[in-house]
Amino acid sequence: SMEVVIAHKGKRSFRCDVRGLAAHSSLAPQAVNAVEYAARLVWSNRNGAGTADYAGYDREYRVLVRGKPELTGSADAIFRGEADKHNPEDLFLVALSSCHMLSYLALCARNGVRVTAYEDEARGTLALAPDGGGKFEVVTLRPRVTVADADTTDKAMQLHETAHQVCFIANSCSV
């Protein structure tokens, strides 16, 4: 459905086209395997003033993914956001950590390593540039894993490296 939006100055959109042949997974080298994800981000503009000034504009946003609970976020407090809401930097660390964990658990299940507990304390260093930009220069995952059989400890340790190699999110980043 179309909506009239007053003071809308433009739109930036990106598109990624995947070209190739569809094929059974046993023929993957001859085809393209891809899964598309979609999310909608809506800026709240709760104060109604828009971006009239840098200090006063609202940083809250909503993330909408079909069939999932809504997530409310904000900029980090150091960027004038709300400290009690998830920010993009938090979510970046969570994406890396959870992707690694899920890749790792799948590898363990497929390789006879029974994991009974998993926790991670991810940390990242965001380097700020003089022009206002920046990037994560380092992200460190510190998973603590409990396995049911001590004889599988070496294999469990080795699978962390494999998990890093196959993690979709880590493969999409430069950290």
Side-chain angles (χ1 to χ4, degrees), residues 1-155:
S1 69
M2 302 274 297
E3 294 180 45
V4 175
V5 179
I6 299 172
H8 184 68
K9 295 289 186 183
K11 175 184 174 185
R12 173 177 274 182
S13 63
F14 300 90
R15 182 180 171 134
C16 175
D17 291 318
V18 179
R19 295 180 180 87
L21 300 172
H24 187 272
S25 61
S26 65
L27 303 171
Q30 300 167 21
V32 173
N33 284 330
V35 178
E36 182 176 87
Y37 293 88
R40 183 171 170 222
L41 183 77
V42 179
W43 175 47
S44 298
N45 190 21
R46 290 176 298 179
N47 65 15
T51 55
D53 73 285
Y54 179 77
Y57 80 87
D58 183 28
R59 270 77 170 171
E60 185 182 274
Y61 59 86
R62 296 179 300 130
V63 177
L64 306 158
V65 177
R66 187 174 300 216
K68 298 179 182 177
E70 182 176 302
L71 174 70
T72 301
S74 179
D76 188 293
I78 63 171
F79 304 116
R80 299 181 181 266
E82 298 173 58
D84 65 335
K85 292 188 170 66
H86 296 295
N87 62 61
E89 296 79 17
D90 295 334
L91 298 174
F92 179 69
L93 290 178
V94 168
L96 283 166
S97 178
S98 61
C99 186
H100 179 87
M101 179 195 71
L102 293 169
S103 298
Y104 177 75
L105 294 175
L107 288 165
C108 287
R110 292 179 179 141
N111 285 276
V113 176
R114 191 161 66 94
V115 174
T116 58
Y118 186 109
E119 287 186 31
D120 189 9
E121 293 199 27
R123 298 209 180 265
T125 302
L126 178 66
L128 301 175
D131 67 359
K135 72 178 223 170
F136 274 93
E137 292 192 335
V138 176
V139 172
T140 304
L141 305 182
R142 294 180 177 89
R144 287 187 306 275
V145 179
T146 304
V147 295
D149 182 356
D151 292 339
T152 63
T153 301
D154 289 342
K155 183 67 172 175

